[in-house]
Amino acid sequence: MAWYDANARIMPWRVGPQARRAGDTPDPYRIWLSEVMLQQTTVAAVKDYFHRFTMRWPTVTALAAAADEDVMAAWAGLGYYARARNLLKCARVVVADHGGQFPTTRDGLLGLPGIGPYTAAAIAAIAYDLPETVVDGNVERVMARLHDLHLPLPTAKPELIEFARRLTPRQRPGDYAQAVMDLGATICTPKSPACGICPWRAPCAARSEGTAQQLPKKLPKKPKPIRLGIAYVGRRTDGAFLLQRRPDKGLLGGMLGWPGSEWAEIPPQESPPVAADWRDLGAEARHTFTHFHLRLAVRVAVIPPEAQPDVGAFIPHDRFRPSDLPTVMRKAFDLARASFEYES
DNA sequence: TAACCGTGGGA
DNA sequence: TTCCCAAGGTT
């Protein structure tokens, strides 16, 4: 705790140890929002999104009243889009069933859309200073090293949770939870941990065994296959773009995208969304998802004003922002844009 | 249980 | 270029 008092990272959603002592209390809405954004995502990537969300939707009530497409567009680029869909669901449940106040216990939070064991414990500890045990990737790593546990993840998870539970203090549990995560993020890092300046170097078993660097052990990962696809970037003569809202379930669910073929390991079939003079762009957008690599061929066409597309809808030029697209679709647009600008 | 679900930065 | 990994949850 002394180490945290002197070394706590400064974050837009955080009430630091000094401010907390002075009586400041975190806003549960901002803690919840930050925790959902931080799932599998770095602090650096989250900061700008957090600012934009809290400026535009300062309270859970404001967020609950937002249009789905506005929230999805604001989330675009951050990834794991089920988080954004569940964020909105959760906000609406909090407003409709809890009077706009987040539940104040771990069990009350657990089971709200998008809130699992980690996030429930994190909100309970950080926002309400309850002695709940927070186990994220940082804590797993710190515990595996502290106890020199060589059992690989995910098998080791229950044991690591138990290690973490035993260490959780009754005093300042919210600061403690953030302290261990800060320690993992800045000292007990995955590669080249700074054991020499670690406040836990004395009791650390992996430090004395010289095994810190190789912990925690993990099961080998499966290789990622390469999938192929075609995207159709169509612009009508008035400048409107032909886009398609993706279904809520599955990859990039609920996001805007270009119409296109299936993405599979076999060469895709041409499947233009509307009859037009589609030209092959030559270049392809390359993108890596969680479990496959994608090579996306890009077709471009200027679509005549009277055309009736089979799929998708035209979005007027002045209402289209590339930043509303998930990254893979923005990559395809960036390739296509060059050709449009060349023609016009 | 294991697969699915994004992205960007660093090594 | 390629691989690893980051404050995980849902199905």
Side-chain angles (χ1 to χ4, degrees):
Chain A
M1 298 310 289
W3 176 84
Y4 182 69
D5 286 341
N7 296 282
R9 290 181 291 172
I10 295 170
M11 299 176 192
W13 48 84
R14 173 175 283 179
V15 173
Q18 286 78 20
R20 200 186 272 261
R21 281 189 199 286
D24 272 18
T25 177
D27 176 358
Y29 168 67
R30 293 164 64 88
I31 298 301
W32 163 71
L33 178 62
S34 68
E35 287 299 339
V36 173
M37 286 183 166
L38 285 163
Q39 289 167 4
Q40 296 287 288
T41 308
T42 57
V43 170
V46 163
K47 278 185 176 168
D48 287 348
Y49 285 88
F50 180 82
H51 279 129
R52 284 197 291 271
F53 267 72
T54 52
M55 291 284 284
R56 188 165 177 185
W57 300 296
T59 65
V60 67
T61 306
L63 181 61
D68 291 37
E69 58 267 33
D70 289 341
V71 173
M72 299 313 290
W75 197 276
L78 198 55
Y80 285 133
Y81 298 100
R83 292 186 296 173
R85 303 194 301 273
N86 286 328
L87 189 83
L88 202 39
K89 274 189 205 168
C90 183
R92 289 168 179 165
V93 169
V94 166
V95 168
D97 299 349
H98 301 275
Q101 304 293 121
F102 281 87
T104 55
T105 64
R106 178 188 183 278
D107 286 349
L109 291 158
L110 194 61
L112 284 172
I115 298 185
Y118 163 76
T119 305
I123 297 171
I126 297 170
Y128 303 118
D129 210 23
L130 294 171
E132 298 293 350
T133 300
V134 167
V135 183
D136 72 332
N138 289 305
V139 178
E140 288 176 358
R141 185 169 59 255
V142 171
M143 292 302 134
R145 289 173 175 170
L146 201 53
H147 297 270
D148 196 38
L149 181 68
H150 287 242
L151 187 67
L153 285 166
T155 314
K157 178 109 186 197
E159 203 163 339
L160 294 170
I161 290 174
E162 179 57 19
F163 288 152
R165 195 191 59 74
R166 288 184 207 158
L167 285 171
T168 304
R170 302 288 159 180
Q171 303 284 332
R172 301 174 61 196
D175 280 347
Y176 172 79
Q178 296 175 90
V180 183
M181 292 193 282
D182 273 21
L183 185 72
T186 62
I187 304 281
C188 195
T189 53
K191 299 163 191 171
S192 312
C195 299
I197 57 170
C198 181
W200 272 350
R201 65 186 172 281
C204 183
R207 156 73 164 166
S208 56
E209 294 296 323
T211 52
Q213 175 99 332
Q214 34 179 302
L215 297 178
K217 301 209 167 159
K218 298 186 178 178
L219 260 30
K221 308 189 172 179
K222 292 188 174 176
K224 293 179 181 180
I226 299 173
R227 294 190 190 173
L228 309 173
I230 304 172
Y232 297 86
V233 181
R235 193 185 67 162
R236 206 163 55 185
T237 46
D238 64 357
F241 286 102
L242 181 56
L243 285 145
Q244 185 176 19
R245 179 75 58 184
R246 299 171 64 87
D248 268 346
K249 296 200 173 193
L251 190 69
L252 307 180
M255 299 301 290
L256 274 183
W258 306 108
S261 69
E262 299 296 305
W263 298 345
E265 292 176 49
I266 56 173
Q269 281 199 317
E270 291 292 342
S271 47
V274 63
D277 180 23
W278 292 100
R279 296 195 298 108
D280 182 5
L281 214 49
E284 60 184 12
R286 290 193 175 202
H287 191 74
T288 299
F289 293 98
T290 311
H291 54 290
F292 65 92
H293 301 286
L294 177 66
R295 295 182 185 175
L296 190 61
V298 179
R299 310 271 190 265
V300 176
V302 174
I303 301 171
E306 67 278 9
Q308 296 295 324
D310 298 323
V311 295
F314 286 102
I315 295 188
H317 176 76
D318 59 357
R319 287 207 294 117
F320 170 69
R321 295 197 311 277
S323 59
D324 289 354
L325 301 176
T327 300
V328 64
M329 298 299 176
R330 191 179 45 70
K331 284 182 180 176
F333 176 71
D334 286 342
L335 289 174
R337 168 155 57 188
S339 82
F340 286 131
E341 286 172 355
Y342 180 76
E343 286 176 14
S344 59

